[in-house]
Amino acid sequence: VLAGGDVLGDFTFADQATLVSHSLDKLPPGAMQLDEQRTRRLRVDHLVYGVPGSLDEACAAFEAATGVAPTKGGVHKGLGTHNAIVALGGGEDGSCGASCGYLELLALDPAQQPRPERVWMAMESVAARGEPRLVTWAHTPARGLEACAAAAAAAGYQPGDVQSFSRLTPDGRTLQWQLAYRHYTEAMLPSDGLVPFLIEWAPSCAAFTPAASAPRGIELLSLRAESAAPLEASASLAALGIEASDLLAQPAGAAPCSSRLVARLRTPKGVVEL
């Protein structure tokens, strides 16, 4: 209808049959393709979507919105949380591989409450506000995690100490990975969570990482951010080897009062934004 261009539509319904208002915006040629290219360059391992309340209820709401049911992941002992995951690699045929990572629904673990040793990923703020939000994301450095962490520290950004982790999968295989992070309370999130933590999976585990084994059917179209302090965020991203313009999409005029991450997902029920 619009010469094959990309179109964003906004529709408001009073009920299933009554359209209240709508708008259609034709995007510049290649705009959506450019967003997808930027997102690929970000090397997203996974997105952290913090949910208040019950993880089971959050999974049911996610399935209702997208048509894909998350599977239970695991428990983060000593950090107060547990999770469920879905792959972001496209359809059931795995045509997009595991390169798009996965989405993690993160909730407080009742078994570790009311006094967990520590809570990470700003989950205390998610629980206090009672609203889900995209808290932060994990980046897989092209040059390797340890080299990236060292280079970032030399450039003035401290990504956190490199730590090694492992756990058994349900079928008895050992999953191994490394993390560098300092994403604990909301006040400690680097640039309000826009700057990612670092992750690297052991090469021997490539076939059974969360991205490779989680339920499919959802594709990450884009990950964009608005920053209340864009200069600080840009410098931290650059220290990690991330091109700030691939993530930051600042609105015209003054910087917004608060920062936010926005992920656009293609799902069996249409495009969904988190």
Side-chain angles (χ1 to χ4, degrees):
V1 175
L2 292 171
D6 293 326
V7 179
L8 287 182
D10 187 7
F11 300 85
T12 303
F13 290 87
D15 52 47
Q16 290 186 345
T18 308
L19 178 63
V20 176
S21 64
H22 75 279
S23 64
L24 287 174
D25 295 313
K26 186 175 181 182
L27 301 178
M32 292 181 71
Q33 183 180 17
L34 182 59
D35 264 356
E36 291 183 31
Q37 291 170 352
R38 287 172 175 151
T39 299
R40 292 279 180 172
R41 289 197 295 267
L42 291 175
R43 295 180 61 85
V44 175
D45 179 82
H46 65 278
L47 308 177
V48 180
Y49 188 60
V51 297
S54 160
L55 182 59
D56 287 337
E57 291 177 1
C59 288
F62 185 86
E63 182 180 6
T66 66
V68 177
T71 188
K72 290 291 181 69
V75 172
H76 306 114
K77 293 182 179 178
L79 293 170
T81 59
H82 59 163
N83 69 6
I85 57 176
V86 293
L88 296 176
E92 289 291 340
D93 62 353
S95 55
C96 292
S99 61
C100 296
Y102 64 100
L103 173 70
E104 174 183 36
L105 280 70
L106 190 69
L108 292 177
D109 178 16
Q112 298 184 66
Q113 306 306 319
R115 294 184 179 85
E117 294 177 34
R118 196 168 193 178
V119 173
W120 68 342
M121 302 299 164
M123 284 304 298
E124 84 293 340
S125 68
V126 173
R129 291 173 186 160
E131 295 181 352
R133 71 182 176 99
L134 200 55
V135 175
T136 190
W137 60 291
H139 167 72
T140 300
R143 53 186 158 175
L145 189 148
E146 292 187 354
C148 178
Y157 174 75
Q158 299 296 331
D161 295 334
V162 176
Q163 302 177 58
S164 297
F165 298 85
S166 67
R167 66 174 173 85
L168 287 177
T169 63
D171 60 2
R173 293 181 290 185
T174 301
L175 189 60
Q176 298 175 306
W177 69 98
Q178 288 185 310
L179 289 177
Y181 67 94
R182 51 187 181 89
H183 296 53
Y184 289 103
T185 65
E186 184 174 41
M188 296 175 69
L189 290 179
S191 295
D192 301 318
L194 306 190
V195 175
F197 58 99
L198 306 178
I199 189 168
E200 185 173 71
W201 301 94
S204 60
C205 303
F208 54 98
T209 63
S213 58
R216 292 190 175 276
I218 293 179
E219 182 181 359
L220 176 61
L221 295 177
S222 67
L223 178 65
R224 301 293 274 159
E226 295 176 3
S227 175
L231 294 180
E232 175 189 329
S234 296
S236 299
L237 290 167
L240 294 175
I242 299 169
E243 181 62 50
S245 61
D246 284 340
L247 179 67
L248 300 182
Q250 294 299 109
C257 295
S258 60
S259 303
R260 67 176 190 146
L261 277 170
V262 179
R264 291 177 62 250
L265 310 177
R266 179 183 287 128
T267 81
K269 292 192 174 183
V271 174
V272 172
E273 279 195 353
L274 302 179

